[in-house]
Amino acid sequence: MLKNKCKMDRKLHCPKRLIKRVAPMDYGIIEKYQVLQTQAREEVLQVFGNGELDFDGLNCLQVVTMTLYESLLQYPPLTTLIRDVNEDIVLGELSLPFGTLISLPVILLHHDKEIWGEDASKFNPERFKEGLSSATKGQVAYFPFSWGPRICIGQNFAMLEAKMALSMILQSFSFELSPSYAHAPQSIVTMQPQYGAPLIFHKL
């Protein structure tokens, strides 16, 4: 199924449709750090060459995965989660009665220096080198797809699709931000670049 999808998209000879499949913020970040873009491309070419992608190979992409994890840390799709307490509960020193609305500020947790260190607000994919558990020090502090029984059921598919789209682009193109790009992330339902993310692609 995945191989057939790859064949279909390769006929496009253009990344325009693929761009829509990965948050533009991810492209902007990886372009900003050209060394990281080179490392990600070398990894993709080492695993797949210029051939078709496959599921097992996508799961072996450490640099690409770390980059996506860090993108979601710095710019989570939802900046705040709202939950309704459905029974009286004591959480640490807090007593939460039934019906209480709880607001979880994801963007603040993702930039908390006590959790992530002094470089919490700096783009550093290396923090995920040993995996999510190591990066969070075993704490529940990473919420790009929510958490618990209401975690996004599409998170694995979303990550797989993002890896696939980014890998296919890295196989055939290098890219850089357009001079017209203005970094202005904003939250309108989901996090997105206020003025878009215009890119310049160069065929390899």
Side-chain angles (χ1 to χ4, degrees):
M1 182 83 173
L2 182 60
K3 289 185 177 180
N4 290 337
K5 189 178 184 69
C6 293
K7 287 180 180 177
M8 178 185 70
D9 286 338
R10 285 180 186 281
K11 295 177 181 178
L12 296 174
H13 301 297
C14 175
K16 288 184 179 179
R17 285 182 59 187
L18 293 178
I19 293 173
K20 299 177 182 178
R21 299 185 181 180
V22 182
M25 209 72 75
D26 298 340
Y27 289 117
I29 291 170
I30 199 172
E31 187 283 329
K32 185 176 180 181
Y33 298 90
Q34 287 294 332
V35 172
L36 180 59
Q37 184 181 151
T38 300
Q39 291 175 343
R41 179 177 296 103
E42 289 175 349
E43 177 182 63
V44 169
L45 294 177
Q46 182 179 5
V47 175
F48 300 113
N50 290 313
E52 296 178 0
L53 311 183
D54 60 71
F55 181 78
D56 291 336
L58 290 171
N59 286 330
C60 293
L61 299 177
Q62 184 181 29
V63 176
V64 171
T65 300
M66 292 191 307
T67 301
L68 292 172
Y69 279 165
E70 183 68 10
S71 299
L72 291 168
L73 176 70
Q74 298 298 328
Y75 304 101
L78 295 176
T79 58
T80 304
L81 293 174
I82 305 295
R83 291 292 180 264
D84 186 4
V85 178
N86 57 17
E87 63 179 24
D88 294 343
I89 189 172
V90 175
L91 187 63
E93 299 180 356
L94 295 176
S95 178
L96 303 174
F98 168 80
T100 302
L101 282 178
I102 298 176
S103 175
L104 181 66
V106 177
I107 191 69
L108 296 182
L109 287 173
H110 279 197
H111 289 81
D112 191 327
K113 292 182 179 180
E114 291 186 10
I115 299 172
W116 302 99
E118 290 301 314
D119 65 346
S121 296
K122 295 181 179 179
F123 192 77
N124 177 26
E126 288 292 320
R127 76 175 87 242
F128 292 102
K129 189 172 184 178
E130 303 299 325
L132 286 173
S133 295
S134 177
T136 59
K137 303 178 181 64
Q139 303 178 82
V140 181
Y142 188 67
F143 297 91
F145 297 103
S146 185
W147 194 265
R150 295 188 62 185
I151 195 168
C152 176
I153 61 173
Q155 64 169 326
N156 292 332
F157 176 76
M159 287 297 295
L160 182 66
E161 192 174 42
K163 290 180 188 180
M164 183 173 67
L166 193 52
S167 296
M168 291 176 70
I169 289 175
L170 288 170
Q171 281 180 316
S172 302
F173 299 91
S174 64
F175 49 93
E176 59 184 312
L177 285 172
S178 167
S180 64
Y181 174 76
H183 188 66
Q186 66 173 354
S187 179
I188 301 180
V189 182
T190 59
M191 181 75 79
Q192 53 191 282
Q194 183 175 356
Y195 305 111
L199 300 174
I200 299 172
F201 284 80
H202 303 279
K203 181 70 176 176
L204 296 177

